[in-house]
Amino acid sequence: MSPDLVHGALELERTAVGLLPHRLPAWARRRGDAQLKLVEAQPAGVRVAFTTTAPQVTLTALATRFGYVGVPLRAPGVFDVVVDGVLTASASLEDAVVVMLDMTTGRTTTTPAEPSALTFPLGPDDGRNRRVEIWLPHNESVELVALEAPAPVRAVPAAGRTWLHHGSSISQGSNAATPTGTWPVAAARAAGVDLVNLGFGGSALLDPFVARTLRDTPADLVSLAFGINVVNADLMRRRAFAPAVHGFLDTVRDGHPDAPLMLVTPILCPIHEDTPGPGAFDLEALARGETRFTATGDPAEVAAGKLTLTVVRTELARVVRERKDPNLHLLDGLALYGPDDAEAHPLPDNLHPDAATHALMGERFVRLAFATGRPFAA
């Protein structure tokens, strides 16, 4: 697999199997915890992009899937194939390495697997040159072994302006069914921009090394979605939160001094609107074979500085007002998914949007960010 075919990754690690896309550089990975190292290697927004006249291509890869003992496994990750802008095929690898963590003991067990191949039809054998993107799964790591076709495969440049986004598992795509179905990818494809998605499940925690990574990554447009992870990790108090956001923005601005920068407040999450973290698995739901989350904090502690999503929205709005940056914009996450949506589109696990809601959020982000007169308009 040629590295110049891979878009949306910040680094490619050459393993004994193939190329492993990373969404953080090695120096930053060394500063993160096990959770961040797990999710940054899941290639949300990463795709293999090329042109070819071939009527089909075969991708050989090895996936690694992660789960918890006693928690239902997620469905296998999906590869989406887009030909000349149109989604034409989706498939999953039958075999994958499976890593299971026992939360009661901290031990992991690994079931090995070998690379396998997926063959995708691209269209009739008529000699027409096609632009092809194979979007990699957003929820399992993938080592790319080979791309084979009966005609030459050529690397392509980025499709347009580069949009650099950072957020939580909601941005990475939890509960979306496919990689092109995550709300950032849906928005990027609709807006015709080239996405670099640094949405990290459980890990949008204002880490300084992530801010420096954003600073050093070329981009025309930048957006940051903060709140849910800071609350459900019970990471900091109100006194620390706004200064940490200011510091993160200061670092990002060092590398992108004039780029349109959007600060996105949390979408609705009823369990954490007025109840602090920490968040936890709902044990009664697990006993029924369901994955659901609950908030375990005490609302009475908000007065002493504990964070809720309501508090976070207030603090983020204050940060934007204080900075007086004409290119810094606030996007209310409740406009992407809010109280009026909860009945028609409930969060299936009390935390993450489902596939239909990801699509809805992507449409709304395009309208609120990329439409004429909006901050990311062409």
Side-chain angles (χ1 to χ4, degrees):
M1 171 69 72
S2 175
D4 61 356
L5 300 180
V6 182
H7 292 219
L10 297 193
E11 190 171 281
L12 297 173
E13 177 187 357
R14 191 166 291 280
T15 71
V17 174
L19 291 178
L20 176 64
H22 286 283
R23 295 184 297 130
L24 282 176
W27 70 265
R29 299 197 298 274
R30 289 192 292 269
R31 300 186 183 183
D33 64 1
Q35 169 70 15
L36 180 57
K37 291 173 184 176
L38 170 72
V39 296
E40 71 80 28
Q42 295 172 342
V46 179
R47 58 272 186 205
V48 178
F50 53 92
T51 60
T52 186
T53 60
Q56 66 182 40
V57 294
T58 298
L59 176 69
T60 302
L62 177 62
T64 297
R65 296 167 186 155
F66 183 88
Y68 298 94
V69 174
V71 178
L73 276 175
R74 293 175 175 173
V78 174
F79 294 75
D80 277 345
V81 178
V82 174
V83 180
D84 292 332
V86 178
L87 178 65
T88 62
S90 298
S92 300
L93 292 169
E94 289 188 11
D95 296 322
V97 176
V98 178
V99 180
M100 298 295 293
L101 170 65
D102 188 330
M103 292 182 287
T104 64
T105 66
R107 295 176 181 171
T108 60
T109 58
T110 301
T111 303
E114 295 296 324
S116 53
L118 294 171
T119 297
F120 299 106
L122 304 180
D125 189 3
D126 56 8
R128 184 170 61 87
N129 203 40
R130 303 173 178 91
R131 182 185 175 101
V132 181
E133 295 173 328
I134 304 175
W135 292 79
L136 306 183
H138 60 285
N139 53 5
E140 61 188 30
S141 64
V142 176
E143 292 170 88
L144 301 168
V145 179
L147 183 72
E148 299 171 295
V153 167
R154 297 180 176 86
V156 294
R161 295 178 299 160
T162 298
W163 170 30
L164 177 62
H165 176 70
H166 171 53
S168 68
S169 58
I170 297 168
S171 295
Q172 182 172 338
S174 283
N175 282 355
T178 66
T180 59
T182 68
W183 79 259
V185 174
R189 292 188 63 224
V193 295
D194 198 65
L195 174 67
V196 177
N197 185 3
L198 303 188
F200 301 130
S203 301
L205 296 171
L206 295 164
D207 288 315
F209 57 87
V210 174
R212 288 194 284 275
T213 299
L214 290 158
R215 176 196 65 191
D216 297 339
T217 301
D220 303 293
L221 313 164
V222 182
S223 56
L224 310 170
F226 290 126
I228 186 63
N229 289 159
V230 176
V231 172
N232 63 20
D234 193 25
L235 186 72
M236 60 182 65
R237 298 297 182 261
R238 189 169 191 160
R239 167 62 180 82
F241 178 67
V245 174
H246 274 298
F248 199 99
L249 290 170
D250 288 342
T251 300
V252 172
R253 274 296 187 223
D254 285 343
H256 306 283
D258 302 311
L261 197 163
M262 186 171 292
L263 195 59
V264 184
T265 71
I267 67 169
L268 180 77
C269 181
I271 63 172
H272 279 304
E273 289 299 315
D274 301 300
T275 302
F281 284 111
D282 182 332
L283 298 181
E284 292 183 2
L286 285 179
R288 299 191 301 269
E290 302 172 0
T291 301
R292 291 185 180 276
F293 297 90
T294 186
T296 67
D298 182 355
E301 293 184 287
V302 173
K306 274 211 170 187
L307 293 176
T308 66
L309 297 185
T310 300
V311 173
V312 164
R313 292 189 195 98
T314 299
E315 291 298 299
L316 291 177
R318 181 167 67 87
V319 166
V320 172
R321 289 195 305 271
E322 289 176 350
R323 293 183 73 87
K324 302 185 186 306
D325 178 345
N327 291 320
L328 175 64
H329 310 273
L330 187 74
L331 193 156
D332 182 3
L334 296 179
L336 297 177
Y337 176 82
D340 292 342
D341 301 306
E343 184 173 350
H345 301 278
L347 304 177
D349 60 6
N350 296 332
L351 187 60
H352 304 102
D354 62 10
T357 308
H358 271 279
L360 181 68
M361 290 173 58
E363 293 171 5
R364 290 176 174 175
F365 191 87
V366 171
R367 186 171 68 250
L368 295 168
F370 287 100
T372 301
R374 297 294 183 172
F376 287 178

